């Protein structure tokens, strides 16, 4: 056990480098907080704290940083994000029109963005099929198929 007390600082340095390396790959501040907690553990060791207490201090500091510092950092990072939805999220709730009869087995719709999609009616929908020209709204996207329901308003 004497070697642990003598080389604890090396263990801390290895942990710090490991956490920083993982953080550079993940970019979500979790491992950065663990690295900072490890720095606190290293500093406590330099002040003469026993090795077992260093690990407790480092773990407590890591948890504290994860709970107190990380959330505001993530909010600040996401503050400048583009609020516009993209990909599948942009299609949810969009409107369109039935091009080819849509049933529980398939059909085709043209969405308001001009895209043609294979579509199905949900199994629990009162409308078993939708005829061409019917206005629709996208409920969900399942793979490459839009799940649609009739919409009250006609598409212009």
């Amino acid at each position: 056990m004497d070697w642990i007390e003598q080389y604890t600082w090396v263990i801390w340095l290895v942990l710090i480098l490991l956490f920083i390396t993982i953080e550079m790959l993940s970019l979500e501040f979790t491992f950065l907080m663990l690295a900072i907690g490890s720095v606190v553990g290293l500093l406590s060791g330099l002040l003469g704290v026993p090795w077992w207490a260093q690990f407790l201090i480092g773990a407590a500091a890591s948890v504290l940083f994860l709970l107190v510092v990380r959330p505001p950092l993530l909010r600040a990072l996401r503050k400048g994000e583009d609020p516009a939805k993209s990909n599948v999220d942009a299609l949810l709730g969009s409107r369109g029109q039935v091009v080819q009869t849509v049933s529980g087995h398939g059909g085709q719709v043209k969405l308001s963005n001009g895209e043609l999609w294979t579509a199905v009616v949900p199994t629990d929908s009162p409308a078993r099929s939708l005829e061409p020209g019917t206005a629709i709204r996208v409920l969900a996207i399942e793979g490459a198929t839009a799940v649609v329901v009739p919409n009250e308003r006609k598409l212009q």
Side-chain angles (χ1 to χ4, degrees), residues 8 14 40 54 69 82 109 122 127 129 145 148 150-151 153 156:
T8 306
V14 168
V40 171
Q54 291 176 37
V69 177
D82 183 10
V109 296
S129 67
T145 303
V148 300
N151 191 28
R153 281 192 354 219
Q156 303 293 342

Side-chain angles (χ1 to χ4, degrees), residues 96-97 133-135 151-156:
Q97 193 169 16
T134 306
N151 191 28
E152 300 79 42
R153 281 192 354 219
K154 286 273 186 190
L155 184 64
Q156 303 293 342

